[in-house]
Amino acid sequence: MDKAKPTGTPDGTVPDATGDSHGTAAQPGGSSTAPDASTSPGTDTTTPPRPVGLTKADPAAEPLETAAPTVPGQAEEAAVPPATEPPATVPAPRAGGAPDAVVPAQQQAPAERPRPLHAPDPYSTPPYGEPGPWAPAPPVQRPVPTPAHGTYLPPGTPAHGTPVPLVPEAGPAQGGEWGRYDPWAAPGALVAESGGGPGERRRERRAGRGRLVGAALVLALVAGAVGGYVGMRLERHGGLGTVELEQTSGQAGERAPDSVAGIAARTLPGVVTLHVSGGDGGALGTGFVLDGRGHILTNQHVVESASDGGSIRVTFNGGETARARLVGGDPGYDLAVVKVSGVSGLTPLPLGDSDDVRVGDPVVAIGAPFDLANTVTSGIISAKERPITAGGEKGDGTDISYVDALQTDAPINPGNSGGPLVDERARVIGINSAIHAAGGPARQDDSAGSVGLGFAIPVNQAKRVAEELINHGRATHPVIGVTLDMGYEGEGAKVGGEAAGGGPAVTPGGPADRTDIAAGDVITEVDGVPVASGEELIIKIRSHRPGDRLALTVERDGESRRVTLELGSSDPS
């Protein structure tokens, strides 16, 4: 018999599992024959065709067929089935193609082994211990046991090497889950394939518990969020629906007349804001209406720049504005009067009696601090007859004001100057003029702000000065007719040696001269109240009007005596 040309190599050689090249010639019908030493003469040793070939991704691909090897010995070795499977028998086909006898599989000539696609596996990769898979398989396919070599396969049976579904053994797996390790199985395929063992059931139970815990946690979070939102709505709005807030009707009525609101309501219509511009700059201050003819009282330092040809603009409580002219002013009292014309509906403020004020009485201050018009603050009378001096920027003493002031803690600031300080009956008892600053009292336009120490000119003094300014254009000052030594550092006020310009210190024929007061005498008391300096003596005298009688305590050569005199008058010009 002629040997067939091997296939699969340049000359048709097919390598077998050992790496040698042998084979038979492929027959047209897909079958091949080879001599078998174990077959008796005359017996048909032809084996049915055995489909072999590559496993493709396309299940419809046709398998390739190759002939069985013809080398004696190798066919027998290849026909031996695995030890774990019983010998298989296949019917020997007749000449017509139908089998008429069963021949042991060991006696059958095996078909040619398929050609591996790569070298043998030296590490005996499980589960076969032979060369690896014949072709790359899709992830969902797995290699499974196939019938032994030489076993008859009915038509339609997958070719040798084609994956066949694995039928698990009935008994328990040896070696646990790793005993059934399948390197071609997709993740999780072993558990699904075997139906799940105790470990898998435990994992399933744990997974179920995990899902329940996760669902409970999500439910708790949702419930907490909903509860928090509902609580927030209930707390902020009192419910989940439309919110309607209760509001009392406007039946509270008017405020009590002696309350701050009541006092402000009656006082604000008579308060004005002054904006002054002039050659030496501008100023801001407050004033209040004295009468229906348009006279307004304020501080001299507010309108001082208007005396050089400047202008004065008055803004009323309702927002109306008008031009005003300067009627007159007095720096020694820090008081001035301006007048508006052609304005009707003015609200004059009533004047009280500053002599009746008591420490602790409630007061209200109204003004325009820092140009914030119609600002209302409140406080009390902190002290009375507080001697202060303010001004003195000119250096010659002509702009120094001497005030026996009312002290208050009602906040007043720059811009409050000239505004009214009113009592609980809305009567003016003082004119806000100065606040305490670093270094001593100062006018409000010279300070940064209030520290709770404000000073107001008593209204009794302001009334007299305002009347004189309106009627005569100037104010008179009460005097005793002496020149004081302002540098004296002892207690009391000392009469100087001579007057300015070289004249006598005591005015001849004046009130002091008529009571035998001489140069060098020290005045220590006025109406029984001690005086500490020359400034305090001037303040005490200025707090009166000309013609008032004063009792003075005078020391001369260590002896004290008491004298009474009538105050004279001087023209400030």
Side-chain angles (χ1 to χ4, degrees):
M1 180 181 296
D2 295 336
K3 292 184 179 180
K5 180 185 291 187
T7 61
T9 61
D11 59 351
T13 304
V14 179
D16 65 357
T18 63
D20 297 330
S21 300
H22 19 226
T24 61
Q27 298 298 325
S31 62
S32 61
T33 59
D36 191 344
S38 63
T39 306
S40 59
T43 304
D44 186 2
T45 61
T46 303
T47 60
R50 184 182 182 196
V52 296
L54 300 178
T55 301
K56 297 183 180 181
D58 185 1
E62 294 182 0
L64 299 177
E65 294 181 359
T66 57
T70 59
V71 180
Q74 274 193 336
E76 296 177 358
E77 179 181 354
V80 176
T84 57
E85 297 182 5
T89 60
V90 295
R94 294 184 181 183
D100 59 352
V102 177
V103 180
Q106 293 84 343
Q107 299 177 7
Q108 300 295 326
E112 182 181 349
R113 293 290 300 274
R115 178 172 56 87
L117 298 182
H118 54 79
D121 182 13
Y123 301 100
S124 300
T125 303
Y128 306 104
E130 294 182 0
W134 315 131
V140 297
Q141 296 178 338
R142 302 178 303 279
V144 295
T146 58
H149 297 292
T151 303
Y152 174 78
L153 300 175
T157 304
H160 182 73
T162 303
V164 178
L166 177 64
V167 179
E169 297 180 0
Q174 298 296 326
E177 294 178 356
W178 287 105
R180 299 191 302 275
Y181 169 73
D182 187 351
W184 289 272
L190 180 61
V191 174
E193 179 179 273
S194 63
E200 173 61 20
R201 288 193 293 272
R202 285 194 296 271
R203 284 192 294 272
E204 290 180 356
R205 286 195 296 271
R206 286 195 297 268
R209 288 194 296 270
R211 287 190 292 271
L212 290 177
V213 172
L217 179 60
V218 171
L219 180 60
L221 292 175
V222 172
V226 172
Y229 175 77
V230 172
M232 179 272 294
R233 295 284 302 183
L234 292 175
E235 178 182 0
R236 294 186 179 180
H237 306 287
L240 299 178
T242 303
V243 177
E244 294 184 1
L245 302 178
E246 295 184 1
Q247 186 176 13
T248 58
S249 59
Q251 299 178 355
E254 296 183 357
R255 300 297 185 267
D258 58 348
S259 66
V260 175
I263 296 170
R266 289 183 287 172
T267 305
L268 280 170
V271 180
V272 301
T273 302
L274 301 175
H275 293 86
V276 183
S277 60
D280 58 349
L284 166 70
T286 308
F288 62 94
V289 178
L290 290 173
D291 55 31
R293 292 180 292 180
H295 292 107
I296 296 171
L297 182 63
T298 186
N299 282 137
Q300 166 64 19
H301 71 263
V302 172
V303 297
E304 184 176 5
S305 59
S307 60
D308 297 331
S311 63
I312 304 173
R313 180 167 55 90
V314 177
T315 303
F316 294 89
N317 180 61
E320 304 87 354
T321 61
R323 293 291 179 179
R325 65 178 180 87
L326 179 62
V327 175
D330 190 297
Y333 290 111
D334 196 17
L335 292 171
V337 175
V338 300
K339 183 179 181 180
V340 295
S341 301
V343 179
S344 60
L346 298 176
T347 305
L349 297 185
L351 305 181
D353 186 356
S354 55
D355 291 339
D356 291 339
V357 173
R358 298 292 182 268
V359 174
D361 284 350
V363 291
V364 173
I366 301 177
F370 302 102
D371 206 12
L372 300 174
N374 306 320
T375 297
V376 178
T377 58
S378 64
I380 62 171
I381 294 295
S382 303
K384 292 181 58 177
E385 300 179 358
R386 186 74 75 187
I388 66 168
T389 59
E393 289 81 5
K394 292 184 178 179
D396 56 2
T398 58
D399 62 336
I400 298 178
S401 58
Y402 300 90
V403 181
D404 202 19
L406 297 174
Q407 179 181 329
T408 179
D409 66 348
I412 55 178
N413 294 280
N416 276 104
S417 294
L421 184 70
V422 299
D423 61 12
E424 59 184 356
R425 297 184 182 180
R427 300 176 304 184
V428 179
I429 59 173
I431 293 84
N432 301 319
S433 179
I435 60 177
H436 184 82
R443 290 171 178 169
Q444 293 172 40
D445 55 355
D446 301 327
S447 176
S450 173
V451 293
L453 296 174
F455 304 98
I457 301 170
V459 73
N460 290 1
Q461 180 177 336
K463 176 179 177 296
R464 179 188 66 84
V465 173
E467 290 172 345
E468 291 183 354
L469 293 175
I470 293 172
N471 296 324
H472 309 290
R474 63 182 185 274
T476 59
H477 297 173
V479 296
I480 61 174
V482 297
T483 300
L484 299 177
D485 181 5
M486 303 305 292
Y488 177 69
E489 297 181 356
E491 289 292 328
K494 182 178 181 180
V495 180
E498 60 181 16
V506 178
T507 304
D513 186 39
R514 293 195 297 265
T515 56
D516 194 22
I517 296 177
D521 289 350
V522 178
I523 301 173
T524 59
E525 293 182 356
V526 176
D527 290 337
V529 178
V531 293
S533 63
E535 288 85 356
E536 287 194 17
L537 178 60
I538 296 174
I539 292 171
K540 293 299 183 182
I541 294 173
R542 294 275 180 94
S543 65
H544 294 78
R545 63 181 62 207
D548 290 345
R549 297 182 66 86
L550 295 181
L552 305 178
T553 302
V554 180
E555 287 186 359
R556 180 184 295 173
D557 298 331
E559 295 182 359
S560 296
R561 61 191 179 93
R562 188 179 182 91
V563 298
T564 301
L565 56 79
E566 183 178 334
L567 293 177
S569 177
S570 70
D571 190 338
S573 61

